[in-house]
């Protein structure tokens, strides 16, 4: 008698949880991708935890606080680690509407992920879209900061350049008036080139330094 | 007039006593010329040409073009500038008043090039500023408005392309739609013109000091990238792809044409920059040795950069292939409910075969991609596509990506900056020689005015359609004009000035008479080569292998034609003016 009841219940559950069913969701886990060497094996205990997490999510929905572990059914577990699950309604013998289950899972997605040490990409609910984290835009974009630094440096350098150029010109303008006086004084001095007095060069029959040739002489006008 | 052919005078720092500014040291002069010649093209055009034209086999036409066209023309420019001690306008007017148009033409082309070249530097600066954050902004797509997924436009094209086309350029759909000014780009353009002005304001006095950093820093970074690149997985594939010679390619004339064109533009000939730089030398300086040294350094830098770039691109292709295989494996594992991570990449082909035999219909339904390394290597790009898309993506995969990005874009910035120095020098030296502004106006003011004018004109490139215009300028403004000017230059020197007189000048400057190789090149080989290249360029009006056909609307084609030929019209215009003056005068 008890065996018959047991078979009946499992038969009903098997009908309720159909892959591709209207209110069924497919779940896919990629444990090895997420954890590498520390990957755990997916066995019935892990399935139990999963059912507990789904029941927990459903219990947080108002009106569904009575959801129990036995109401969450899993089927078609594969080697990939993927399976289908449904949540049944205790009062009637139907599955809960997909929208309810979806919103419950979305609210508690983070808790479910953490229970399995996975994230949104490695624990996939195939029909439930993830909510992306809000973009962390800093109040001032980074590039503006570096740009401001560069621009300030360039502006300061240009100003310094212009100021030093102006000062140099002022000094040069003052300079020639002083040089004129000294030139008068040096009129009778001996011109020295490379440490050798020029006069002696002429007498020694030195070479003319062609560096100082005026270039116009070399070009005959057409 | 010159009887004694004494040895070259040492670089005592003083000029010939004519008040012309002089280089602080010979190293500054060499570095400036090397920096001017070595530009962005060495990084992103030469490697692409190398791999597009049969790898190692391309080096042969390249070396031949260097020997027959590049080095002789370069030597000639340096010799003329050094001998006549004037910028491009003064030099050609001095050789023959009828050739004065050549100098003016060079000057106008230099202005056009400065406009768009600094815009490229602004783009590089923008990327550089954005590299100081982790994760890099082009590593992932932003979320869509309702935050249920990623932005659709970004998912379609990939985050790197999205960042370039949308976040940087905010590109419009075609050339006619100008769109709005992109303020971040305008700011970057202002900053890069500011940096250029800072370094060029006092002429070679200021560039001579800046050049030590800006010319040597790229080599340092290239070495670092070379070492890092060679240790990355997949580098060997990239290098093999680059250098595997395909000797059949040598039969096609297109390869030789492109090699000659590449050498010509790589050395930045006929812009007037080298003439300007050489005009500040002491008159007795061995310009022959300089020319050969600088040209060889330029070509060796191209090769060096090609190795560094392609080892990184090989790494990128390998990573892309691995990701492609991973995506296929996940599809198969999910479809056939196989255990997670049960198919390693090496066994993918075997498993695919097995599954194809057992369940062919199910396998046919899967959207599997073909993941051949060759295909990913073929995606090699050139120009901005290489720097801002391919290489930027490759940087994402390297550990410590922001640091590498800062290094890479910093290197591009200083490479472009040294070329900009040469461009600005070829703009400012003729202005100074022509005496456009009175003598008492300080040089800083003239340079500032020139930079400001160029900045205001170039701000039209910051529009949403700006990059289309830039591509246009890049392809048409310099190509035909410079070839025309170079041809006229070499003919002018060899036949108008007189080759014998020129050889005597060179002998006076260097201390030895130019040999048969030089005389033959100047008189015969280089003009012929230039004529060939010019003819072919006019016929094709495109410089190197195109990827896509883009049909320009009529008015844009008119602009292309104007850009291509207008600067060259200076030559007949000035010659005609001179003729008329002679007629009315005498």
């Amino acid at each position: 008698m008890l065996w018959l009841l047991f078979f009946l219940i499992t038969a009903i559950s098997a009908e309720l949880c159909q892959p591709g069913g209207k209110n069924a969701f497919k779940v896919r886990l990629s444990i090895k991708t997420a954890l590498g060497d520390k990957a755990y094996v997916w066995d019935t205990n892990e399935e139990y935890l999963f059912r507990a997490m789904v029941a927990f999510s459903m219990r947080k929905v108002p009106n569904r606080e009575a959801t129990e572990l036995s109401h969450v059914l899993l089927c078609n577990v594969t080697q990939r680690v993927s399976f289908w699950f449904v949540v049944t309604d205790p009062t009637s013998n139907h599955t809960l509407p997909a929208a309810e289950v979806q919103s419950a899972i979305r609210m508690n997605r983070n808790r479910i992920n953490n229970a399995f040490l996975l994230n949104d990409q490695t624990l996939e609910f195939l029909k439930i879209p993830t909510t992306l984290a809000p973009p962390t835009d800093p109040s001032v974009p980074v590039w503006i900061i570096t740009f401001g630094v560069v621009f300030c440096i360039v502006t300061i350098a240009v100003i310094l350049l212009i100021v030093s150029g102006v000062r140099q010109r002022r000094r040069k303008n003052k300079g020639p008036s002083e040089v004129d006086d000294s030139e008068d004084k040096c009129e009778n001095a001996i011109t020295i080139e490379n440490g050798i007095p020029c006069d002696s060069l002429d007498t020694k029959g030195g070479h003319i330094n062609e560096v100082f040739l005026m270039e116009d002489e070399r070009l005959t006008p057409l | 007039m010159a009887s004694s052919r004494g040895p070259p005078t040492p670089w005592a720092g003083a000029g010939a006593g004519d008040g012309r500014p002089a280089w602080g040291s010979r190293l500054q002069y060499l570095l400036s010329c090397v920096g001017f010649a070595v530009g962005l093209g060495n990084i992103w055009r030469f490697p692409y040409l190398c791999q597009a034209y049969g790898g190692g086999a391309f080096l042969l036409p390249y070396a031949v073009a260097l020997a027959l066209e590049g080095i002789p023309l370069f030597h000639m420019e340096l010799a003329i500038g050094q001998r006549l001690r004037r910028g491009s306008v003064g030099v050609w007017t001095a050789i023959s008043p009828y050739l004065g148009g050549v100098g003016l033409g060079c000057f106008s082309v230099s202005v056009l090039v400065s406009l768009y070249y600094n815009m490229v530097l602004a783009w590089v600066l923008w990327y550089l500023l954005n590299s100081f954050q982790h994760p890099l902004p082009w590593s992932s797509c932003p979320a869509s408005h309702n935050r249920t997924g990623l932005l659709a436009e970004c998912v379609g094209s990939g985050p790197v392309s999205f960042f370039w086309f949308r976040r940087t350029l905010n590109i419009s759909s075609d050339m006619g739609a100008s769109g709005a000014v992109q303020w971040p780009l305008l700011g970057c353009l202002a900053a890069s013109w500011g940096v250029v002005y800072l370094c060029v304001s006092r002429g070679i006095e200021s560039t001579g000091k800046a050049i030590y950093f800006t010319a040597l820093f790229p080599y340092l970074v290239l070495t670092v990238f070379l070492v890092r690149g060679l240790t990355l997985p997949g580098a060997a594939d990239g290098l093999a792809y680059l250098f595997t010679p395909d000797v059949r390619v040598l039969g096609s004339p297109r390869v030789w044409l492109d090699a000659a064109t590449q050498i010509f533009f790589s050395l930045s000939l006929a812009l007037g920059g080298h003439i300007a730089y050489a005009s500040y030398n002491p008159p007795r300086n061995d310009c022959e040795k300089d020319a050969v040294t600088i040209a060889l350094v330029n070509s060796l830098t191209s090769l060096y950069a090609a190795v560094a770039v392609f080892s990184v691109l090989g790494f990128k292709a390998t990573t892309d292939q691995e990701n492609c295989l991973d995506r296929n494996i996940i599809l198969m594992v999910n479809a056939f409910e196989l255990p997670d991570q049960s198919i390693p990449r090496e066994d993918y082909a075997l498993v695919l075969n097995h599954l194809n035999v057992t369940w062919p219909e199910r396998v046919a339904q899967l959207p599997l991609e073909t993941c051949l390394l060759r295909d990913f290597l073929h995606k090699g790009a050139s120009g901005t596509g290489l720097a801002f898309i391919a290489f930027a993506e490759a940087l994402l995969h390297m550990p410590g990506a922001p640091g590498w990005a800062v290094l890479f874009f910093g290197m591009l910035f200083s490479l472009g900056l040294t070329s900009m120095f040469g461009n600005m020098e070829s703009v400012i030296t003729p202005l100074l020689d022509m005496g456009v502004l009175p003598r008492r106006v300080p040089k800083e003011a003239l340079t500032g005015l020139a930079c400001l004018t160029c900045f205001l004109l170039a701000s039209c490139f910051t529009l949403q359609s700006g990059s289309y215009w830039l591509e246009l300028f890049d392809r048409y403004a310099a190509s035909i004009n410079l070839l025309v000017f170079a041809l006229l230059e070499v003919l002018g020197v060899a036949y108008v000035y007189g080759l014998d007189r020129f050889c005597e000048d060179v002998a006076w400057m260097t201390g030895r008479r130019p040999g048969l190789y030089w005389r033959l090149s100047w008189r015969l080989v280089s003009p012929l080569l230039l004529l060939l290249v010019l003819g072919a360029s006019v016929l094709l009006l495109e410089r190197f292998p195109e990827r896509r056909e883009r049909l320009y609307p009529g008015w844009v084609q008119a602009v292309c034609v104007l850009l291509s030929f207008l600067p060259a019209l200076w030559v007949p215009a000035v010659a005609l003016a001179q003729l008329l003056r002679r007629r009315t005068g005498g």
Side-chain angles (χ1 to χ4, degrees):
Chain A
M1 185 57 188
L2 262 164
W3 283 113
L4 203 66
L5 204 64
F6 180 69
F7 279 133
L8 204 68
I9 295 176
T10 40
I12 295 172
S13 342
E15 277 171 19
L16 286 172
C17 177
Q18 293 276 7
K22 192 165 47 102
N23 295 326
F25 290 92
K26 183 164 181 183
V27 181
R28 191 190 290 146
L29 289 92
S30 312
I31 308 173
K32 218 163 173 198
T33 313
L35 301 171
D37 293 330
K38 301 200 197 87
Y40 47 81
V41 179
W42 186 261
D43 53 15
T44 43
N45 298 328
E46 307 284 345
E47 288 177 26
Y48 193 89
L49 178 59
F50 184 80
R51 289 162 67 202
M53 293 307 294
V54 173
F56 161 76
S57 313
M58 290 311 299
R59 286 166 84 106
K60 289 209 142 170
V61 175
N63 278 350
R64 297 284 173 205
E65 285 92 344
T67 316
E68 293 291 335
L69 209 62
S70 47
H71 298 143
V72 182
L73 307 168
L74 260 58
C75 49
N76 259 49
V77 184
T78 65
Q79 259 193 314
R80 168 71 179 84
V81 194
S82 68
F83 48 84
W84 291 82
F85 77 91
V86 287
V87 186
T88 56
D89 191 347
T91 52
S92 65
N93 218 357
H94 299 300
T95 54
L96 287 184
E100 267 196 61
V101 182
Q102 178 167 314
S103 68
I105 301 279
R106 280 187 86 169
M107 303 276 267
N108 300 288
R109 189 61 187 270
N110 209 20
R111 299 288 297 272
I112 303 177
N113 285 349
N114 282 333
F116 291 97
L117 306 174
L118 299 172
N119 59 27
D120 281 351
Q121 280 77 45
T122 41
L123 172 56
E124 301 167 73
F125 288 83
L126 286 188
K127 273 189 292 183
I128 304 180
T130 55
T131 316
L132 296 171
T136 50
D137 278 338
S139 51
V140 180
V142 174
W143 73 267
I144 288 188
I145 300 175
T146 27
F147 176 74
V149 169
V150 167
F151 211 73
C152 284
I153 293 178
V154 170
T155 319
I156 292 175
V158 167
I159 293 175
L160 280 176
L161 200 79
I162 295 178
V163 162
S164 76
V166 164
R167 230 186 276 156
Q168 243 182 18
R169 283 199 97 81
R170 221 173 282 160
R171 223 179 294 143
K172 220 194 294 175
N173 284 337
K174 248 187 285 166
S177 55
E178 295 164 2
V179 168
D180 287 334
D181 302 332
S182 58
E183 269 188 1
D184 294 327
K185 278 188 239 160
C186 290
E187 240 179 332
N188 296 322
I190 306 170
T191 45
I192 303 219
E193 191 160 85
N194 280 348
I196 312 168
C198 282
D199 305 317
S200 54
L201 274 179
D202 282 330
T203 51
K204 287 206 177 127
H207 290 286
I208 301 174
N209 193 344
E210 286 168 338
V211 168
F212 291 93
L213 269 182
M214 292 307 289
E215 60 214 49
D216 295 327
E217 303 166 33
R218 289 185 55 80
L219 294 168
T220 52
L222 272 176
Chain B
M1 277 226 67
S3 48
S4 61
R5 297 203 196 119
T9 48
W11 279 68
D18 59 357
R20 200 171 178 78
W23 291 104
S25 72
R26 186 179 155 89
L27 187 63
Q28 278 181 13
Y29 161 63
L30 285 178
L31 282 180
S32 296
C33 284
V34 165
F36 182 41
V38 172
L40 295 170
N42 292 64
I43 302 283
W44 69 37
R45 236 172 229 163
F46 176 78
Y48 171 74
L49 281 178
C50 219
Q51 69 87 341
Y53 282 135
F58 180 71
L59 293 178
L60 181 66
Y62 188 73
V64 168
L66 181 67
L68 294 181
E69 180 197 354
I71 296 186
L73 284 175
F74 193 45
H75 182 202
M76 189 190 72
E77 278 204 15
L78 289 184
I80 290 206
Q82 196 173 291
R83 180 67 200 91
L84 298 176
R85 302 181 61 74
R86 300 212 194 117
S88 56
V89 176
V91 152
W92 298 109
T93 320
I95 287 187
S96 155
Y98 292 100
L99 279 182
V102 175
L104 280 172
C106 289
F107 169 74
S108 0
V109 174
S110 295
V111 172
L112 289 175
V113 170
S114 308
L115 290 181
Y116 75 77
Y117 206 85
N118 222 13
M119 189 64 217
V120 179
L121 278 191
W123 290 340
V124 174
L125 185 63
W126 162 257
Y127 266 76
L128 179 62
L129 294 177
N130 272 299
S131 303
F132 287 98
Q133 52 187 297
H134 182 73
L136 291 169
W138 57 86
S139 59
S140 58
C141 281
S144 61
H145 293 298
N146 49 6
R147 284 202 263 126
T148 48
L150 301 169
L151 210 56
E153 188 186 11
C154 181
V155 175
S157 62
V160 186
S161 298
F162 174 76
F163 186 77
W164 169 238
F165 285 112
R166 184 56 54 208
R167 288 269 176 269
T168 307
L169 300 175
N170 202 3
I171 206 164
S172 59
S173 49
D174 69 37
M175 260 177 126
S178 317
V181 169
Q182 297 303 298
W183 297 108
L185 276 186
L186 192 67
C188 288
L189 186 66
S192 59
W193 271 113
V195 173
V196 169
Y197 173 63
L198 199 64
C199 299
V200 179
S201 51
R202 296 230 185 102
I204 59 169
E205 270 176 56
S206 40
T207 55
K209 297 193 182 44
I211 205 83
Y212 284 114
F213 175 73
T214 52
L216 293 175
F217 179 66
Y219 286 98
L220 180 67
V221 175
L222 269 179
T223 313
V224 172
F225 263 100
L226 188 74
V227 171
R228 176 75 257 229
L230 288 176
T231 55
L232 288 170
D237 296 308
L239 288 178
Y241 180 68
L242 172 70
F243 283 123
T244 315
D246 178 15
V247 214
R248 297 166 301 172
V249 140
L250 293 177
S252 118
R254 191 66 198 274
V255 180
W256 297 87
L257 171 69
D258 275 332
T261 320
Q262 169 64 14
I263 266 293
F264 181 78
F265 292 107
S266 175
L267 283 171
S268 308
L269 295 169
L271 275 169
H274 291 297
I275 298 182
Y277 278 153
S279 70
Y280 299 120
N281 279 342
R284 286 182 154 218
N285 172 53
D286 196 344
C287 52
E288 178 185 333
K289 195 158 59 152
D290 293 341
V292 175
T293 316
I294 297 169
L296 282 180
V297 168
N298 178 49
S299 297
L300 288 174
T301 311
S302 293
L303 263 172
Y304 199 55
V307 174
V309 163
F310 262 83
S311 48
V312 176
L313 287 183
F315 162 69
K316 171 178 180 284
T318 307
T319 315
D320 284 345
Q321 190 207 23
E322 283 174 4
N323 289 342
C324 174
L325 280 176
D326 285 343
R327 283 195 298 273
N328 281 356
I329 288 175
I330 286 191
L331 280 174
M332 274 188 350
V333 155
N334 285 348
F336 289 95
E337 308 288 0
L338 301 166
D340 189 25
Q341 300 247 331
S342 54
I343 310 179
R345 285 192 205 115
E346 310 83 59
D347 297 340
Y348 167 73
L350 279 157
V351 175
L352 181 64
N353 266 336
H354 171 76
L355 287 175
N356 227 347
V357 162
T358 41
W359 284 298
E361 333 78 45
R362 283 172 73 180
V363 171
Q365 275 174 2
L366 293 175
L368 294 172
E369 314 161 28
T370 39
C371 302
L372 290 173
L373 188 62
R374 188 104 198 145
D375 293 337
F376 291 109
L377 283 171
H378 263 318
K379 276 207 214 121
S382 78
T384 50
L386 177 77
F388 300 121
I389 301 184
F391 217 85
E393 195 177 328
L395 289 171
L396 288 175
H397 299 305
M398 294 164 76
W404 294 107
V406 168
L407 272 183
F408 177 66
F409 291 114
M411 170 186 80
L412 285 187
F413 192 71
S414 35
L415 273 175
L417 205 60
T418 47
S419 299
M420 270 309 289
F421 294 164
N423 273 325
M424 289 315 287
E425 206 54 52
S426 52
V427 168
I428 289 173
T429 309
L431 284 177
L432 285 172
D433 289 341
M434 286 195 290
V436 161
L437 290 180
R439 265 273 148 203
R440 53 184 183 77
V441 175
K443 190 188 244 185
E444 289 94 329
L446 175 67
T447 341
L449 204 63
C451 286
L452 188 66
T453 320
C454 287
F455 164 63
L456 291 173
L457 287 174
S459 55
C460 68
F461 289 122
T462 56
L463 292 170
Q464 284 182 263
S465 56
S467 74
Y468 296 127
W469 285 105
L470 201 140
E471 211 181 296
L472 202 81
F473 266 69
D474 188 27
R475 260 209 281 165
Y476 295 107
S479 41
I480 306 267
N481 292 314
L482 290 181
L483 288 168
V484 169
F485 295 141
L487 184 64
L488 287 172
E489 279 182 17
V490 77
L491 289 177
V493 165
Y495 295 104
V496 175
Y497 187 71
L499 194 65
D500 295 321
R501 201 159 126 209
F502 183 64
C503 288
E504 266 188 37
D505 287 340
V506 173
W508 181 79
M509 288 193 289
T510 64
R512 54 187 180 278
R513 222 179 145 70
L516 183 65
Y517 158 67
W518 297 108
R519 292 204 305 274
L520 210 58
S521 322
W522 288 327
R523 200 187 283 276
L524 218 56
V525 182
S526 300
L528 270 177
L529 254 174
L530 279 175
L531 204 59
L532 267 170
V533 175
L534 178 64
S537 297
V538 170
L539 285 175
L540 300 174
L541 263 188
E542 51 184 52
R543 266 199 283 146
F544 54 87
E546 282 304 309
R547 282 277 156 159
R548 298 163 288 143
E549 266 293 306
R550 173 175 269 148
L551 293 163
Y552 289 128
W555 62 279
V556 175
Q557 284 184 348
V559 171
C560 293
V561 170
L562 274 176
L563 273 178
S564 303
F565 295 108
L566 213 59
L569 289 181
W570 274 115
V571 182
V574 167
L576 210 65
Q578 195 60 19
L579 204 67
L580 287 173
R581 198 187 301 165
R582 288 295 164 88
R583 287 283 171 79
T584 54

